[in-house]
């Protein structure tokens, strides 16, 4: 919640009061992914103690701003940054509309943008609307940020609420508030409730809570154990940062694993619910073999080249509309329905198998969460993780891994695009011609790339794992089986007339796979 739009808006308002009129006296880094900015009154730059500090911690798995009262710079292993704005005065601080970003506006048309996008957070220096420097150089895509296009005007009127629903109008609520509002179902949310929550967010109390052994900064009191409350966003942000740093090792590692398991549990439950819906639909609907029998019983009443006809349904004692292929005889149409009936039975069997497997997975996940919560020693905990193959090292983060979703499987690296623009970045700039490229066929989805290992062919298990990811991160993620394109990257190309994420594939194979992570 420390990067939530409403929190950042209160924070930027407070920073405007604190920083306007001060000059940036120093800006440096001495820890990886951390930067410190010191501000003071003009003419006081020579003093060791500055009037105001901003410490930005932008680790791949943790992004936060802190405001220490004092800071001792190390004598070595530190590097000066953003030298162009040193000794320049802050003219204003601005929060961008419906965006998790704010900026410090300096003299000489310099702007320092704080882009607080979770694991893609960055600090970007502009002059005359041109990007001239990045703190996180590995986020190369930030060179394309257009500061004059960051504002996102959204019609949040009552009429728009009635037409589009609240989730479309308030993407800035973030996961926690959306989850809180969705407890009673999206349709149950009234305009009065939306107005009440937005009023609360505009005049918030800040809650420092503990959830799954991890400190959480929140704008709502529900869920978790409340440790402290604040009315000042700077104090709240500091308390959260220091609480995060004080977590003992076992609680920190427990929190990481439990978070992974909770996500897995949520996905598994969604899959189980989808299976039951599909089974219920197949069970209550008119079956293909019944339609075939109805056609055979009414052959004399079906004219040639008929597309749709109403026949007597002797199973339900009522008329039924039956769709036929006009270029086939009624008997051939009945044969098609009999064939679909066989596939229908196979689909039911597959759904039942999947359902049984997922319910077993759910029981195992719930037991693992219970077991992990009970461990008191680090040795026992890590032994359990190793025995159950739950080490968090299975998902690593570095330069490329920060840009894309990243997986390791049987020693192979698998990269997954996050959106259409990110797909282009993965396929056009980071994938090598000998890498394996995958994508769900005929639907929107993520590009998936498996890194080639010298002298080795891609194992079948690795291809199936990557295909499962391609299926999962596509519009077919809830299907029982999904067709996935598999081809070397050298057969994937893009022409100028294609939109973001679109490519041309010159040679491909297609495999059927169950969507999975």
């Amino acid at each position: 919640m420390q990067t939530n739009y409403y929190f950042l808006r209160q924070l930027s308002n407070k920073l405007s009061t604190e920083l306007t009129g001060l000059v940036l006296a120093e800006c440096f880094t001495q820890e990886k992914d951390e930067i410190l900015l010191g501000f003071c009154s003009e003419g006081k730059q020579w003093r060791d103690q500055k009037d105001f500090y901003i410490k930005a911690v932008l680790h791949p798995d943790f992004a936060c701003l802190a405001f220490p009262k004092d800071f001792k710079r190390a004598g070595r292993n530190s590097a000066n940054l953003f030298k162009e704005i040193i000794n320049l005065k802050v003219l204003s601080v601005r929060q961008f509309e419906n965006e998790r970003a704010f900026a410090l506006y300096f003299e000489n048309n310099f702007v320092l943008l704080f882009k607080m996008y979770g694991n893609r957070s960055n600090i970007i220096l502009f002059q005359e609307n041109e990007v001239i420097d990045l703190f996180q150089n590995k986020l190369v895509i930030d060179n394309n940020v257009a500061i004059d296009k960051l504002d996102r005007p959204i019609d949040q009127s009552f009429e728009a609420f009635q037409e589009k629903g609240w989730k479309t109008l308030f993407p800035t609520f973030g996961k926690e508030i959306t989850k809180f509002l969705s407890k009673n179902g999206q349709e149950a949310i009234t305009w009065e409730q939306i107005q009440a929550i937005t009023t609360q967010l505009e005049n918030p109390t800040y809650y420092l809570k503990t959830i799954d052994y991890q400190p959480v900064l929140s704008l709502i009191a529900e869920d978790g154990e409340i440790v402290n409350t604040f009315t000042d966003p700077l104090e709240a942000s500091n308390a959260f940062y220091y609480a995060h740093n004080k977590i003992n090792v076992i609680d920190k590692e427990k929190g990481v694993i439990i978070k992974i398991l909770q996500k897995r549990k949520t996905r598994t439950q969604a899959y189980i619910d989808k299976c039951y819906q599909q089974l219920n639909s197949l069970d209550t609907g008119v079956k293909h073999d019944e339609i075939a029998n109805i056609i055979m019983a009414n052959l004399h009443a079906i004219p040639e080249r008929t597309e749709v006809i109403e026949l007597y349904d002797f199973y339900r004692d009522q008329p039924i509309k039956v769709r036929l292929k006009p270029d086939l005889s009624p008997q051939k149409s009945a044969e098609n329905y009999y064939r679909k009936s066989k596939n229908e039975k196979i689909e039911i069997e597959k759904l039942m198998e999947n359902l049984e497997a997922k319910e077993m997975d759910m029981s195992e996940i719930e037991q693992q969460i219970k077991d992990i919560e009970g461990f008191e020693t680090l040795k026992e905990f890590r032994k359990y993780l190793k025995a159950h193959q739950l080490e968090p090292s299975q998902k690593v983060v570095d330069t490329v891994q920060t840009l894309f979703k990243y997986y390791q499987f049987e020693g192979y690296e698998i990269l997954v695009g996050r959106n259409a623009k990110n797909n282009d970045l993965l396929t056009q700039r980071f994938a090598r011609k000998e890498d394996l490229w995958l994508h769900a066929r005929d639907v929107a989805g993520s590009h998936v790339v498996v890194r080639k290992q010298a002298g080795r062919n891609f194992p079948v298990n690795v291809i199936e794992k990557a295909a499962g990811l391609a299926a999962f991160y596509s519009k077919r993620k809830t299907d029982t089986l999904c067709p996935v394109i598999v081809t070397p990257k050298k057969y994937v190309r893009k022409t100028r007339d294609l939109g973001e994420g679109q490519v041309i594939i010159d040679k491909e194979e297609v495999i059927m796979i169950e969507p999975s992570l």
Side-chain angles (χ1 to χ4, degrees):
M1 191 61 110
Q2 72 276 12
T3 59
N4 176 274
Y5 166 69
Y6 291 94
F7 177 74
L8 291 176
R9 191 154 77 174
Q10 301 298 326
L11 187 67
S12 60
N13 286 339
K14 184 72 174 180
L15 289 176
S16 180
T17 302
E18 297 285 347
L19 293 178
T20 301
L22 298 183
V23 298
L24 180 63
E26 59 182 350
C27 180
F28 62 90
T29 179
Q30 60 188 38
E31 298 286 345
K32 185 180 180 183
D33 300 325
E34 296 184 9
I35 181 174
L36 189 109
L37 300 94
F39 300 83
C40 68
S41 301
E42 191 169 11
K44 304 293 185 181
Q45 293 94 316
W46 57 270
R47 297 192 309 186
D48 290 338
Q49 175 70 33
K50 303 301 183 286
D51 296 329
F52 195 86
Y53 291 99
I54 298 177
K55 183 177 183 179
V57 181
L58 307 181
H59 297 298
D61 58 347
F62 177 72
C64 178
L65 298 176
F67 308 92
K69 298 294 184 183
D70 191 12
F71 194 89
K72 300 295 184 183
R73 181 171 182 174
R76 56 182 181 177
N77 296 327
S78 65
N80 293 317
L81 300 173
F82 300 137
K83 298 176 183 178
E84 297 88 344
I85 55 174
I86 297 299
N87 295 322
L88 294 187
K89 186 181 294 185
V90 178
L91 302 178
S92 63
V93 180
R94 181 188 170 208
Q95 174 77 33
F96 293 92
E97 187 178 4
N98 295 311
E99 192 60 83
R100 291 179 297 161
F102 66 90
L104 311 185
Y105 284 77
F106 289 86
E107 297 172 308
N108 299 342
N109 294 316
F110 284 101
V111 181
L112 194 63
L113 176 71
F114 287 73
K115 182 174 75 77
M116 304 302 292
Y117 286 9
N119 63 3
R120 294 179 293 118
S121 295
N122 204 354
I123 299 178
I124 308 168
L125 181 62
F126 294 81
Q127 186 179 31
E128 301 287 358
N129 296 323
E130 294 285 336
V131 174
I132 62 173
D133 201 2
L134 307 176
F135 172 56
Q136 298 281 29
N137 290 311
K138 59 191 175 185
L139 298 178
V140 293
I141 197 169
D142 284 347
N143 284 298
N144 300 324
V145 172
I147 198 167
D148 56 347
K149 295 181 180 178
L150 280 177
D151 286 313
R152 288 195 298 166
I154 301 175
D155 179 7
Q156 295 177 337
S157 65
F158 175 66
E159 292 74 19
F161 168 79
Q162 287 183 309
E163 180 185 351
K164 300 178 181 179
W166 64 273
K167 284 189 176 180
T168 303
L169 302 190
F170 296 91
T172 49
F173 278 168
K175 291 181 181 179
E176 185 180 22
I177 298 169
T178 299
K179 181 180 178 182
F180 166 69
L181 289 173
S182 299
K183 285 182 177 179
N184 298 321
Q186 183 174 350
E187 280 68 28
I189 303 300
T190 65
W191 178 246
E192 288 71 23
Q193 287 173 301
I194 293 297
Q195 293 300 294
I197 194 71
T198 52
T199 300
Q200 179 182 338
L201 295 174
E202 295 291 354
N203 303 277
T205 296
Y206 309 102
Y207 300 93
L208 181 61
K209 301 188 291 189
T210 300
I211 299 177
D212 293 335
Y213 301 95
Q214 304 295 295
V216 174
L217 185 61
S218 175
L219 299 178
I220 55 177
E222 283 71 13
D223 297 330
E225 177 187 351
I226 296 177
V227 178
N228 209 340
T229 60
F230 303 89
T231 56
D232 186 296
L234 300 183
E235 292 179 4
S237 194
N238 279 341
F240 170 68
Y241 170 70
Y242 293 126
H244 184 273
N245 283 349
K246 289 180 181 178
I247 306 173
N248 62 48
V249 175
I250 188 168
D251 282 351
K252 185 175 287 188
E253 293 193 14
K254 273 187 178 183
V256 171
I257 298 300
I258 287 177
K259 186 176 180 180
I260 292 170
L261 291 174
Q262 291 287 9
K263 284 185 177 180
R264 198 176 296 172
K265 181 179 175 181
T266 300
R267 290 194 297 263
T268 303
Q269 186 60 57
Y271 188 91
I272 289 171
D273 293 343
K274 185 67 176 181
C275 281
Y276 275 119
Q277 290 175 10
Q278 289 177 296
L279 285 170
N280 183 64
S281 176
L282 290 169
D283 185 56
T284 57
V286 179
K287 295 178 173 55
H288 288 109
D289 60 343
E290 293 176 349
I291 296 175
N293 290 336
I294 291 169
I295 292 172
M296 293 302 293
N298 291 276
L299 287 176
H300 61 284
I302 303 174
E304 291 185 3
R305 309 194 69 78
T306 300
E307 289 190 34
V308 179
I309 189 170
E310 190 173 271
L311 300 174
Y312 173 65
D313 180 357
F314 48 81
Y315 290 99
R316 296 161 189 81
D317 191 25
Q318 64 184 25
I320 184 175
K321 285 187 177 181
V322 176
R323 189 173 296 277
L324 305 170
K325 289 192 175 182
D327 55 336
L328 297 179
S329 66
Q331 292 94 330
K332 287 292 183 181
S333 291
E335 288 178 16
N336 281 344
Y337 277 106
Y338 282 128
R339 186 165 56 252
K340 287 181 180 179
S341 175
K342 290 181 181 179
N343 293 336
E344 192 174 68
K345 290 174 182 176
I346 293 171
E347 184 179 1
I348 291 173
E349 290 175 2
K350 182 67 175 176
L351 282 170
M352 292 298 293
E353 289 176 9
N354 292 344
L355 190 57
E356 184 179 356
K358 291 297 181 182
E359 286 179 337
M360 289 177 64
D361 287 347
M362 179 65 83
S363 298
E364 183 180 0
I365 292 168
E366 290 174 344
Q367 185 60 49
Q368 287 173 344
I369 292 173
K370 185 177 179 181
D371 291 343
I372 288 169
E373 289 176 337
F375 286 116
E376 296 182 358
T377 69
L378 198 59
K379 183 177 180 181
E380 289 177 327
F381 172 64
R382 287 178 175 172
K383 184 178 179 181
Y384 181 88
L385 295 186
K386 187 174 182 180
H388 291 79
Q389 298 182 334
L390 291 173
E391 293 95 335
S393 59
Q394 291 175 352
K395 191 170 182 178
V396 186
V397 181
D398 67 4
T399 302
V400 171
Q401 300 151 0
T402 302
L403 290 173
F404 314 107
K405 294 184 178 73
Y406 177 85
Y407 298 86
Q408 278 190 331
F409 185 75
E410 295 187 2
Y412 281 81
E413 295 181 304
I414 304 175
L415 307 177
V416 182
R418 298 179 182 275
N419 50 48
K421 192 170 185 177
N422 195 242
N423 282 340
D424 278 344
L425 187 67
L426 173 59
T427 299
Q428 304 304 317
R429 295 191 57 180
F430 284 87
R432 310 180 189 105
K433 64 178 183 179
E434 64 271 15
D435 292 341
L436 197 64
W437 187 91
L438 304 94
H439 191 281
R441 187 169 190 175
D442 297 331
V443 292
S446 293
H447 294 191
V448 176
V449 169
V450 185
R451 291 293 201 197
K452 173 71 173 177
Q453 292 191 7
R456 295 182 63 186
N457 294 326
F458 293 101
V460 173
N461 289 347
V462 173
I463 296 173
E464 290 179 347
K465 172 67 175 179
L469 290 169
F472 182 84
Y473 290 111
S474 77
K475 295 293 186 181
R476 294 186 187 270
K477 67 179 293 184
T478 57
D479 289 3
T480 307
L481 292 173
C482 170
V484 174
I485 297 168
V486 182
T487 188
K489 161 59 179 65
K490 63 184 178 182
Y491 295 122
V492 181
R493 58 190 174 89
K494 186 179 184 75
T495 54
R496 292 183 179 180
D497 59 315
L498 295 179
E500 289 183 345
Q502 295 180 331
V503 294
I504 296 171
I505 302 162
D506 295 325
K507 183 178 179 181
E508 67 178 55
E509 292 183 12
V510 176
I511 63 173
M512 300 296 294
I513 198 75
E514 179 183 342
S516 64
L517 286 175

